[in-house]
Amino acid sequence: MPELATIVDQVALPSSLSQNPRIVQQIQRLKTSEVAANVLESARVHRQSASQNRLQTVIPRAQNSSLRAATTSAIGKRQNSTTQTVLDMAQQKRLGSVQVLSSLWVSKIKRAGGKLEQLDRYSIDEMYPHDQLVKIVFDSILVKTRTAYEEGHPGTLENFTTRNVSFHAHQSKSQHSILRMVDLQDKTMNELLQHFATLGYITAQQVGIRKLSIRLVIDEKFLPEDDIWDDQVTTGSGNRSSLTSARRSSSAPVSHPTSARRSSSVLVSRATLARQSSSTLASHPIPKRKANNDLNPDTHQSRQSAATPSTPSGSGSSAPLVRKSAFRPRKLLAREVVLQRISFRTLLYNHEQRQFFLSKDLEEILLPVMWKEDEQLGLSRSRDSAYLGSGTAKHAFYAQYNGKEYAFVQCKPGCTVAENSKCLRAELENLADAHQLAEEFKEDLRKEGVKFPKFRFNYPGAFIGKLVDEDIENIAHFHEFLATPLLPCGEADSPIAKYTGNDNVGEPPRTDRSITALMHAYMHYTYVMSGKSLLICDIQGMFDDKMELCLIDPQSHSDNADIYNRSYWDGGKAKMESYVNHHIDSSNGCAQNRFCNDLQIMKIEIEN
């Protein structure tokens, strides 16, 4: 290898080498130190001259006037990250993205005549793809606003939900129009931009720059008192927060007779309502389901390559993955996960006979591929998680059946096959009983002219199935499963609300007092109308997209004397009586419950 001195004599030393201390030391050790010194000095002068020229040169760019002005003013006034954000947003707009400026407003019901007041510190300015669905975007904005608010007000997360927060088109400080999510949630952001333009919510200039302004409006009762009138502190740049981008498919419910009879007692309706005895009502056959040949395609692409579907026993090939199609319109799904087609048979339930019959028809259900991994992560409210949540004995995963979203429910590992089967069948029986009694309860309220909040049980469309593949290790824990229609379960949705417990009715919460009173009256109604043979308890649920309360996973106490045949939640006759007595004796109990009084539940007499 030639001597370094020879190289220095023949070739001009690059300026980058003169900045390296090791190279400088090596050159200084050379005998030709005078040559090295000259080279270093030449490199230093060249570097200084090059830097000056570079600063004085303006590189022409294909920018519009606004972007060029923003870039020029950024020199010496803005950080590089801020300038880059402007450039990124401009690039996204060229690709068709929509800019959304959102702000948080408080509805002043008690003061100022219902006036809306803005909380400036919680504004977000962000870009969203033109083909992203409105529901997903608005949920994301709500969650980010909630997270920022939670930093200064711990314990308020449960109040920032789609039930308590409404979205409005912001036109000016004094003008705004409510956005009905039930009409817009399936639209894309491009369609939302067109919607704003058609209704005159934005100007032609805003259409051109693809910019929308929306308000998140929350009632003042959901915010702490100290934040409602004191809103001078701001974070981030200017007044904006520093947040940045970082069932069975029957069309109508099947009517079944009330079969809350766990003993030989016969249920009959009260004479004052002149209703026919429930034991004489005709039983309707359960319609068979058609095999599904075209289930929904949306999946989570980022996890698709890592998914390894199982190979069902005897199938000879891997279960097909359900992939996203570029030729189908986007459909709003609660979860975007990779799914696989699995065969099963339905266990048809006869409500009157209280028996299950295995169907001969083979059907398909879409189950998640990465369910084990998602359960370990425990992210039950994330859009890319197949895990939905767990209870005391069961856990639930995301599934699709006949193009609809479902919860796939089984007992936790550690239970036996027999325990899993018994638990799931008892839960479906509870749902059937609770649903039938709820329909009668609502009908009685209507006959008495009583207005009440809408509610229902998640029974229509629910079913029990049995996987046909022998090897299910990578599919599920057990062959038998319970499937119920999926309810809103995202980060922006309200969590499950509990209205009664298993031991007693409990006390009404700070909010939803009317609904809680209704649920307590319904619980009392089930006890009386079943001839004191059954009491529906542990009443809980959430609000669906139409803001109707949907109740899930009820438990029950019965007069079954055989403790070995009871489900784990059934406390028997003693628990029923204790439960009802707590409702009657409570300070907020039966005597103060307007629904109990309207139906005169305490005076109902059941014929035996």
Side-chain angles (χ1 to χ4, degrees):
M1 186 172 181
E3 293 289 333
L4 183 58
T6 305
I7 298 177
V8 172
D9 287 338
Q10 296 177 355
V11 183
L13 188 68
S15 60
S16 59
L17 295 181
S18 66
Q19 302 178 44
N20 191 316
R22 295 179 61 186
I23 297 297
V24 173
Q25 291 175 7
Q26 193 172 358
I27 292 175
Q28 290 175 346
R29 294 193 194 101
L30 297 175
K31 295 179 181 180
T32 55
S33 58
E34 183 177 355
V35 176
N38 292 335
V39 172
L40 289 174
E41 179 62 19
S42 176
R44 185 186 65 79
V45 174
H46 173 74
R47 185 172 68 252
Q48 181 178 5
S49 176
S51 299
Q52 291 174 348
N53 291 337
R54 185 167 61 251
L55 290 176
Q56 295 171 359
T57 302
V58 178
I59 303 175
R61 297 184 181 181
Q63 299 175 342
N64 58 38
S65 58
S66 299
L67 184 57
R68 185 165 57 252
T71 304
T72 304
S73 63
I75 300 176
K77 296 181 180 180
R78 295 185 180 182
Q79 297 179 352
N80 290 335
S81 59
T82 305
T83 304
Q84 188 61 44
T85 300
V86 175
L87 295 172
D88 290 343
M89 292 180 69
Q91 175 63 17
Q92 291 181 58
K93 282 192 176 183
R94 284 195 289 270
L95 296 175
S97 296
V98 178
Q99 182 180 0
V100 180
L101 175 61
S102 63
S103 53
L104 179 62
W105 295 68
V106 180
S107 175
K108 310 286 188 175
I109 292 182
K110 297 181 180 179
R111 313 178 193 184
K115 175 184 176 182
L116 295 184
E117 182 172 307
Q118 183 178 5
L119 299 182
D120 289 332
R121 74 186 89 167
Y122 306 112
S123 296
I124 302 172
D125 192 355
E126 195 161 349
M127 303 293 299
Y128 294 94
H130 66 91
D131 60 345
Q132 186 64 277
L133 296 178
V134 172
K135 168 68 174 173
I136 297 175
V137 170
F138 280 19
D139 281 0
S140 173
I141 292 173
L142 193 156
V143 170
K144 290 179 179 180
T145 304
R146 179 176 67 191
T147 301
Y149 192 88
E150 173 73 6
E151 292 179 0
H153 305 83
T156 58
L157 283 180
E158 63 180 15
N159 294 332
F160 275 85
T161 66
T162 51
R163 184 189 173 200
N164 300 333
V165 176
S166 59
F167 292 87
H168 299 240
H170 176 84
Q171 299 162 262
S172 66
K173 188 173 183 179
S174 59
Q175 285 187 307
H176 60 97
S177 302
I178 191 167
L179 300 172
R180 289 175 50 84
M181 288 306 300
V182 69
D183 300 327
L184 298 175
Q185 61 182 7
D186 288 321
K187 294 184 180 296
T188 64
M189 290 303 295
N190 210 48
E191 292 171 332
L192 181 66
L193 182 70
Q194 180 62 48
H195 179 75
F196 271 54
T198 301
L199 297 180
Y201 295 159
I202 53 179
T203 64
Q205 181 182 7
Q206 290 173 315
V207 174
I209 62 176
R210 304 181 65 79
K211 182 176 181 179
L212 305 177
S213 295
I214 64 170
R215 297 183 184 184
L216 283 71
V217 179
I218 186 170
D219 194 284
E220 63 178 343
K221 69 181 179 181
F222 297 115
L223 299 181
E225 186 69 24
D226 61 349
D227 192 59
I228 294 177
W229 302 104
D230 182 14
D231 187 45
Q232 302 302 319
V233 180
T234 59
T235 60
S237 175
N239 288 333
R240 295 179 182 174
S241 169
S242 57
L243 295 174
T244 56
S245 300
R247 324 175 197 210
R248 191 164 63 212
S249 60
S250 54
S251 59
V254 179
S255 177
H256 295 286
T258 301
S259 58
R261 295 163 286 180
R262 302 296 172 97
S263 64
S264 58
S265 60
V266 178
L267 303 183
V268 293
S269 303
R270 51 186 162 148
T272 55
L273 293 177
R275 291 210 315 265
Q276 186 180 13
S277 171
S278 59
S279 62
T280 63
L281 295 178
S283 175
H284 294 268
I286 300 178
K288 295 182 179 179
R289 303 179 184 84
K290 297 181 179 180
N292 179 34
N293 297 319
D294 189 23
L295 301 183
N296 201 313
D298 273 52
T299 58
H300 188 52
Q301 295 292 325
S302 63
R303 303 172 69 171
Q304 208 161 349
S305 59
T308 306
S310 62
T311 303
S313 176
S315 63
S317 61
S318 298
L321 296 183
V322 180
R323 302 179 183 274
K324 186 179 294 184
S325 170
F327 301 100
R328 298 187 184 183
R330 295 203 61 182
K331 179 180 178 181
L332 178 62
L333 294 174
R335 300 294 166 102
E336 291 188 350
V337 295
V338 180
L339 303 170
Q340 55 185 330
R341 298 177 187 271
I342 304 297
S343 299
F344 77 98
R345 287 189 173 89
T346 306
L347 281 169
L348 303 175
Y349 177 57
N350 186 306
H351 194 182
E352 185 178 40
Q353 299 178 9
R354 310 191 71 81
Q355 292 182 350
F356 291 87
F357 304 92
L358 184 62
S359 170
K360 296 181 180 180
D361 298 332
L362 197 63
E363 303 186 71
E364 285 185 334
I365 188 170
L366 299 185
L367 299 181
V369 172
M370 303 183 69
W371 58 282
K372 289 183 179 180
E373 294 85 346
D374 291 343
E375 181 185 16
Q376 291 174 354
L377 292 174
L379 302 177
S380 60
R381 299 177 77 82
S382 176
R383 276 187 55 79
D384 64 351
S385 174
Y387 174 66
L388 299 178
S390 298
T392 303
K394 303 181 297 295
H395 54 195
F397 297 91
Y398 179 81
Q400 289 182 24
Y401 169 70
N402 272 355
K404 297 182 180 180
E405 296 181 294
Y406 270 75
F408 180 88
V409 181
Q410 290 189 323
C411 285
K412 295 180 178 179
C415 292
T416 65
V417 173
E419 289 171 338
N420 176 70
S421 178
K422 179 180 178 180
C423 178
L424 299 183
R425 296 185 188 198
E427 182 169 336
L428 187 66
E429 289 182 3
N430 267 342
L431 271 174
D433 291 337
H435 165 75
Q436 185 63 31
L437 287 165
E439 294 305 301
E440 294 183 3
F441 176 63
K442 290 187 286 187
E443 182 62 25
D444 286 353
L445 288 172
R446 295 187 189 100
K447 288 182 178 180
E448 296 295 331
V450 179
K451 293 184 178 180
F452 56 92
K454 291 183 178 181
F455 78 97
R456 61 184 172 87
F457 277 90
N458 198 25
Y459 174 66
F463 64 92
I464 287 182
K466 192 168 185 178
L467 303 176
V468 300
D469 298 312
E470 295 182 5
D471 183 10
I472 60 167
E473 180 180 357
N474 294 319
I475 301 175
H477 291 305
F478 303 96
H479 283 86
E480 203 161 305
F481 64 89
L482 171 65
T484 58
L486 187 68
L487 296 173
C489 55
E491 291 183 276
D493 297 313
S494 300
I496 295 175
K498 207 172 184 71
Y499 299 100
T500 71
N502 182 278
D503 293 326
N504 53 58
V505 293
E507 295 297 326
R510 183 172 61 88
T511 58
D512 291 342
R513 290 185 179 273
S514 179
I515 295 178
T516 303
L518 181 67
M519 294 299 100
H520 289 185
Y522 165 72
M523 174 277 307
H524 195 179
Y525 180 92
T526 65
Y527 175 71
V528 172
M529 297 303 294
S530 65
K532 300 181 180 180
S533 66
L534 176 71
L535 183 144
I536 302 295
C537 62
D538 202 36
I539 301 175
Q540 57 188 327
M542 61 194 74
F543 289 83
D544 62 17
D545 294 333
K546 297 180 180 179
M547 291 301 150
E548 180 178 1
L549 177 63
C550 184
L551 302 171
I552 62 171
D553 195 20
Q555 296 181 3
S556 64
H557 300 306
S558 72
D559 65 351
N560 189 348
D562 187 355
I563 61 174
Y564 297 104
N565 286 330
R566 296 178 193 164
S567 300
Y568 68 88
W569 57 69
D570 190 348
K573 189 173 183 179
K575 180 63 69 175
M576 272 199 304
E577 293 176 351
S578 173
Y579 202 105
V580 173
N581 289 336
H582 180 263
H583 166 64
I584 294 174
D585 297 337
S586 174
S587 60
N588 293 306
C590 190
Q592 285 74 38
N593 190 308
R594 67 181 182 93
F595 300 108
C596 289
N597 292 330
D598 288 338
L599 291 182
Q600 299 183 2
I601 294 179
M602 292 290 291
K603 299 180 180 180
I604 296 176
E605 294 183 2
I606 299 297
E607 300 176 359
N608 293 322

